[in-house]
Structure formats: structure tokens, C-alpha cells
Amino acid sequence: MDSKERNWLFLLVGVFLVFNIITLSPLIPWQKWLLWSSPEPDQRFFLEYADYQIRMPPEGMEVKVGEYVEFVAESKDVTYGFGVFRQDGSMVFQMQVPPGRESNILWKFAEPGLYDVRSTEYSGPRHSEMYYPDAISVTQ
Ligand SMILES: [Cu+2]
């Protein structure tokens, strides 16, 4: 390796380090939330997936705007998805629900309303039945 190549290598390593230090630092507002805090959820909902059905809390899922809610999902057979949708059909968020492990997501709803739940991972012939309108109610 000649000195020109070495200089380029140092420059690349330097750019890599500076880029990562900046983007992972708490100076970036969303990283403060994503990496450097672990808020305790105000509520936790458990979802059980099996045989193309999602068993949700029988008392329903009621959330307040601005509170942290954790969704914990587990599949007993195949890989499903947990997708939350607005009334206009646009997606709020989704996560995969593979079998054999707990999947969880922490969320803070910004707007009140009723939200639908769908499986967002093709899981088999009855996948399209996995639609639960107005499953989550978010109030002010
Ligand atoms: Cu599915």
C-alpha cells in the first residue's frame, strides 16, 4: 500500500467514524428517543396469533394520545404481521410476528381516532381475513 492509498483509507475511516458519531449521538433529536432512552410503557397489550386469527385483549385496546403503549405479539404457527392503519387506509406502523419468539413495539399515538389492525405479512390462504376494523381506540 503506498502513501496515497493509506491516506484515502484514513480519510474513509475518518468519514465513517464522524458520520456514525454524529448520527448516533443524542444531538440528533430522534436518536435521543430511539437509542438513549427506554421509556416505560403506560400500557401493554398482548396479541396472540394462531390459525389466521389474532386474539386481542377482550376488553379492547384503549389508548390516550401521547401515552406510551407497548404491543407484544406472539405467533403459535407461522409468520404474521401486526399492522396498524388509519381510517383512510394509510399505515401507522407495522412489525413482523415470526413464530417462536415475542415481538414487541413501543408506540405513542399522535392523533385520536379509531385504528384498524391487519396482518401485514402474507401468512397463507386465509391471510386476507386477518382484518380487525376499529381495533384500537385512541382518545385525547
Ligand atoms: Cu397474514
Side-chain angles (χ1 to χ4, degrees), residues 49 52 78-81 118-124 126-128 130:
Y49 286 69
Y52 301 102
V78 299
T79 298
Y80 299 98
R118 288 175 186 270
S119 172
T120 46
E121 179 75 29
Y122 180 71
S123 42
R126 289 173 53 207
H127 161 79
S128 60
M130 301 179 76

Side-chain angles (χ1 to χ4, degrees), residues 71-129:
F71 297 94
V72 183
E74 201 173 349
S75 164
K76 299 289 178 204
D77 41 30
V78 299
T79 298
Y80 299 98
F82 174 65
V84 173
F85 294 80
R86 298 177 191 90
Q87 294 295 299
D88 66 4
S90 62
M91 185 188 285
V92 180
F93 67 87
Q94 74 97 33
M95 71 170 168
Q96 273 201 326
V97 185
R101 61 173 294 242
E102 261 185 18
S103 301
N104 57 345
I105 188 166
L106 188 67
W107 198 258
K108 190 162 81 171
F109 286 90
E111 285 174 21
L114 291 169
Y115 293 81
D116 304 339
V117 168
R118 288 175 186 270
S119 172
T120 46
E121 179 75 29
Y122 180 71
S123 42
R126 289 173 53 207
H127 161 79
S128 60
E129 297 166 23

Side-chain angles (χ1 to χ4, degrees), residues 2-101:
D2 67 24
S3 68
K4 215 172 174 187
E5 282 177 325
R6 198 177 53 235
N7 289 345
W8 269 111
L9 186 64
F10 281 128
L11 178 70
L12 287 177
V13 169
V15 167
F16 173 84
L17 288 175
V18 167
F19 179 80
N20 279 286
I21 286 168
I22 289 172
T23 57
L24 296 176
S25 84
L27 297 172
I28 307 292
W30 60 86
Q31 292 299 20
K32 197 181 285 180
W33 196 88
L34 285 171
L35 289 177
W36 310 107
S37 75
S38 47
E40 267 302 302
D42 300 298
Q43 289 202 76
R44 190 174 274 132
F45 295 122
F46 293 91
L47 310 155
E48 237 181 69
Y49 286 69
D51 195 28
Y52 301 102
Q53 296 199 327
I54 309 174
R55 192 163 351 124
M56 300 191 202
E59 66 277 10
M61 295 188 279
E62 287 193 20
V63 182
K64 283 196 165 58
V65 167
E67 74 178 2
Y68 289 110
V69 55
E70 183 178 26
F71 297 94
V72 183
E74 201 173 349
S75 164
K76 299 289 178 204
D77 41 30
V78 299
T79 298
Y80 299 98
F82 174 65
V84 173
F85 294 80
R86 298 177 191 90
Q87 294 295 299
D88 66 4
S90 62
M91 185 188 285
V92 180
F93 67 87
Q94 74 97 33
M95 71 170 168
Q96 273 201 326
V97 185
R101 61 173 294 242

